[in-house]
Amino acid sequence: MTKKQISQTNVTNQNEVGKSSIWGGRFSSGPSQLLQNINASIGYDQRLYQQDIAGSRAHATMLAHCGIISEEDLMAINQGLAQIAKEIEAGDLKFSLELEDIHMNIEARLAEIIGEPARKLHTARSRNDQVATDFKMWVRMLLENLDRALAELQAALIAQAEAHVDTLMPGYTHLQTAQPVTFGFHLMAYVEMIGRDRSRFADAHRRLNESPLGAAAIAGTSFPIDRQMTAKLLGFDRPAANAMDAVSDRDFALDFLTGAAICSMHMSRLAEEIVIWSSDRFGFVKLSDAYTTGSSIMPQKRNPDAAELVRAKPGRIVGSLNGLLIVLKGLPLAYSKDMQEDKEGVFDAADALGIAIAVMTGMVTDMQPNPENMRAALTNGWPTATDLADYLVRELKIPFRDAHHISGSIVALAAKQGVDLDAVPLADMQAIEPLITEEVVEILKVDNAVAARQSFGGTAPSEVSAQIAAAKKRFHIG
Ligand code: ARG
C-alpha cells in the first residue's frame, strides 16, 4: 500500500452530525463530532483492506454455499468487491470518517455499487469477528514477510562469514579484549540469534492460524453457517474453537510484538557493533557510501546514521508491546472498543522492524571488513593469556586456579615490557614458573590459539566452516 493510501488525507469528514447510517436505528440524534473523531479507526485500519475484502468474499461464498444468500447475490458481491479493491489500489476511494472503519467503508461502497445484495453480506457476521479475522490475516502476512526478510539477512551474514572464516579479530567481554576469534565466527553468532527470531515468528504463526470468522459478535450465530469452509478459504488451519475467545483476544498481536521486541533487540546489538567497528578507533569495517551520511559542518565525517537508527528502534517496538499489554490488561470478555487500539502499535512496530531488517541486510552486504586492522587490534590486551593458563594445566598439570595466577603474573610482566605475550623472553617466564618450556611460544600466537579452539561451536576456522554448512541447512539458506 502506498504512503498516499495510508495517510489520513484520503479520509473525508463530511462533518454531518446526522444519525449513523450503520447503527443509528435506535438513536434520535447523531454522534458528536468529537465522538466521531475518537471512534474512527479508518485513518489507520485502511491498511487491512485486502484482508477485509478477502474475508468478505469467503464469508459470502460460504453464505451462498449454505443457502443463506443466493448465487446471484454472491456474484454481485464478488464483482462489487473486486471493483472496490481496484478503487482502493488506485487511491480512488475516498474513505469517510463517519463510516468509522475499513469494514463499514467497504460495505457502504459495496451498497453504492451493487445495492440490495450488499445489505445481506453482514448476515451471520459481526464487525467483532470481522476485525479479528482481518487483523489476524494481516499479522500472518507480516510474519511470512518477516521470515523472508530475516532469511535474507542471515544469507548476507553467512556470505560475509564465509569470506572471513579465518580473519582474526579480538573477541570481547565487557568490551575488553578477551580471546582471539574469527570475524566469521562473530557474524555467525547473529545468524543463530536471527534463526531463533524466525522460530519465534513461526510459533506465532502456528498459534495464530485459527479463524475467528463466524464467531459473530460474541456467541456464534443461529444461521446454519460453515466455519470450516471459511477457515479453509482464508488459509486458516481450523476455526477458532470458542466464539467468545475468537473475538476478544489479541494475543496473536502480542506474540508478534514480543517476537518483534526480541528481534529488534538483536538488530540493535548488531547495529551497535557496526557503529563500534566502523569508528576511527576500531576501523574493523568500512561502511559503503550507501549506508553512511555526512556531517553538515564537519567535512571529514562518515556517520553510521542507519546503524544508529536501527539501534534505536527497540524503543518504539517495545513501547508498542507495552502499550498493547496495558490496553488488554483487565478487559472483561468479550469485545470492548479498547481493542481498536490494538492496530497502530502493531503497524508501527511492523514498519520499524521491517526497515531495520532491510537496512541491516544492505549494510552487512556492503560493508568491507578490514582484516589488517582487526589483527592489529590483537596486539592489545594479551588475548592469549587464557591459552597460557590452559597450557600450564594441560602440559604441566598445574591446577587451573594456580595456572590462572601464574599467567596473570606473566601478563603483568608483558605489560611492563610493553610486548605481546609471545614476545616475553622464555627466561623471564621461567623465572616465574620454572617448568615452562619453549613450546609455549607457539601456543601464545593468536593464530594457533584460534586454530586450537575446535570444540563444537568453537572459533577454529574448521569449526566455523562446519557451523556455516550446518546453518545453511538448518535455516534453508542458499
Ligand atoms: N474498528 C473496530 C476495531 O478495530 C471494529 C470492530 C467494531 N465493533 C464494534 N462492535 N464496535 O476494533
Side-chain angles (χ1 to χ4, degrees):
M1 177 170 270
T2 64
K3 269 268 147 53
K4 178 169 163 259
Q5 284 163 349
I6 60 169
S7 74
Q8 297 269 358
T9 55
N10 61 347
V11 177
T12 58
N13 185 346
Q14 288 133 346
N15 210 7
E16 272 169 20
V17 185
K19 287 205 295 179
S20 168
S21 56
I22 316 156
W23 41 255
R26 75 168 298 228
F27 290 78
S28 48
S29 73
S32 71
Q33 188 60 53
L34 272 174
L35 172 59
Q36 286 193 19
N37 290 350
I38 194 173
N39 205 26
S41 52
I42 185 61
Y44 47 88
D45 68 13
Q46 51 187 279
R47 285 176 73 150
L48 301 176
Y49 81 95
Q50 283 176 332
Q51 290 71 26
D52 196 67
I53 288 172
S56 287
R57 278 174 170 278
H59 184 65
T61 303
M62 180 278 293
L63 290 178
H65 180 81
C66 297
I68 301 168
I69 62 171
S70 70
E71 287 297 327
E72 294 72 54
D73 288 341
L74 172 62
M75 264 173 50
I77 287 169
N78 276 337
Q79 274 166 13
L81 288 173
Q83 181 180 329
I84 293 172
K86 282 202 195 109
E87 289 175 358
I88 297 177
E89 222 76 66
D92 287 344
L93 186 60
K94 277 265 171 262
F95 293 117
S96 136
L97 200 71
E98 196 209 347
L99 291 167
E100 291 184 24
D101 55 28
I102 188 64
H103 324 293
M104 296 316 307
N105 270 273
I106 288 178
E107 193 183 314
R109 178 67 188 136
L110 188 64
E112 280 174 13
I113 302 171
I114 65 169
E116 174 80 7
R119 305 183 67 78
K120 299 179 184 168
L121 174 59
H122 212 51
T123 313
R125 183 176 79 170
S126 152
R127 266 189 297 165
N128 297 351
D129 58 336
Q130 190 178 358
V131 71
T133 305
D134 292 0
F135 197 29
K136 268 193 167 184
M137 289 196 289
W138 193 91
V139 172
R140 185 176 65 186
M141 174 188 73
L142 170 68
L143 294 171
E144 289 163 8
N145 291 341
L146 285 171
D147 186 65
R148 274 191 290 274
L150 287 171
E152 276 175 39
L153 176 52
Q154 283 181 311
L157 287 162
I158 286 175
Q160 287 280 10
E162 275 180 318
H164 294 281
V165 166
D166 45 22
T167 299
L168 263 53
M169 70 181 285
Y172 296 93
T173 61
H174 316 269
L175 202 55
Q176 307 278 323
T177 302
Q179 296 177 355
V181 297
T182 72
F183 189 54
F185 174 72
H186 196 136
L187 295 179
M188 288 307 291
Y190 284 99
V191 171
E192 293 299 326
M193 293 176 227
I194 294 164
R196 290 190 297 276
D197 292 335
R198 289 178 66 192
S199 95
R200 261 181 289 275
F201 288 140
D203 282 348
H205 192 291
R206 191 172 40 74
R207 270 196 294 280
L208 161 152
N209 212 23
E210 296 179 337
S211 170
L213 197 56
I218 173 170
T221 173
S222 55
F223 288 97
I225 61 168
D226 183 349
R227 290 192 59 207
Q228 303 284 349
M229 182 177 181
T230 45
K232 197 158 171 220
L233 285 171
L234 295 171
F236 287 103
D237 295 332
R238 62 192 81 84
N242 178 286
M244 192 183 271
D245 167 53
V247 292
S248 63
D249 207 352
R250 293 293 183 270
D251 57 354
F252 64 89
L254 291 172
D255 268 348
F256 156 64
L257 288 170
T258 307
I262 295 172
C263 181
S264 74
M265 172 275 293
H266 286 151
M267 296 299 114
S268 182
R269 294 183 77 171
L270 178 54
E272 168 62 359
E273 303 229 66
I274 288 177
V275 170
I276 293 172
W277 292 341
S278 63
S279 66
D280 300 330
R281 283 296 164 128
F282 275 72
F284 286 5
V285 302
K286 182 167 185 255
L287 295 179
S288 69
D289 288 358
Y291 291 97
T292 315
T293 50
S295 156
S296 58
I297 176 170
M298 297 165 283
Q300 84 282 15
K301 290 298 278 284
R302 289 177 60 83
N303 292 330
D305 288 32
E308 292 168 278
L309 287 163
V310 172
R311 185 172 64 186
K313 291 297 182 199
R316 59 201 304 156
I317 295 173
V318 174
S320 292
L321 171 60
N322 282 335
L324 184 54
L325 280 168
I326 294 167
V327 165
L328 295 174
K329 180 210 159 289
L331 272 189
L333 300 188
Y335 180 86
S336 295
K337 195 68 176 231
D338 308 52
M339 294 169 68
Q340 179 166 287
E341 297 276 323
D342 58 358
K343 288 172 211 63
E344 282 168 293
V346 167
F347 292 152
D348 188 73
D351 293 344
L353 186 60
I355 196 161
I357 295 168
V359 161
M360 290 313 292
T361 306
M363 227 166 5
V364 167
T365 302
D366 280 14
M367 73 184 179
Q368 284 174 7
N370 186 323
E372 296 73 41
N373 288 349
M374 292 186 199
R375 182 170 278 269
L378 283 163
T379 59
N380 294 316
W382 307 282
T384 53
T386 312
D387 299 84
L388 176 53
D390 287 351
Y391 156 82
L392 297 170
V393 171
R394 197 172 47 241
E395 305 300 330
L396 310 184
K397 311 293 175 215
I398 295 173
F400 183 78
R401 277 289 152 238
D402 301 333
H404 183 284
H405 192 82
I406 295 164
S407 177
S409 305
I410 295 174
V411 168
L413 185 64
K416 214 156 115 200
Q417 296 178 348
V419 297
D420 291 345
L421 275 181
D422 59 352
V424 176
L426 184 61
D428 290 352
M429 287 200 231
Q430 286 167 335
I432 292 171
E433 173 46 62
L435 293 175
I436 292 178
T437 65
E438 68 176 340
E439 71 180 320
V440 79
V441 179
E442 284 301 303
I443 284 168
L444 295 178
K445 295 202 157 100
V446 287
D447 295 85
N448 295 334
V450 166
R453 285 188 166 69
Q454 288 177 16
S455 56
F456 181 84
T459 195
S462 58
E463 256 314 299
V464 177
S465 293
Q467 282 172 39
I468 290 173
K472 280 176 160 177
K473 268 207 190 129
R474 255 186 312 137
F475 302 126
H476 310 286
I477 307 291

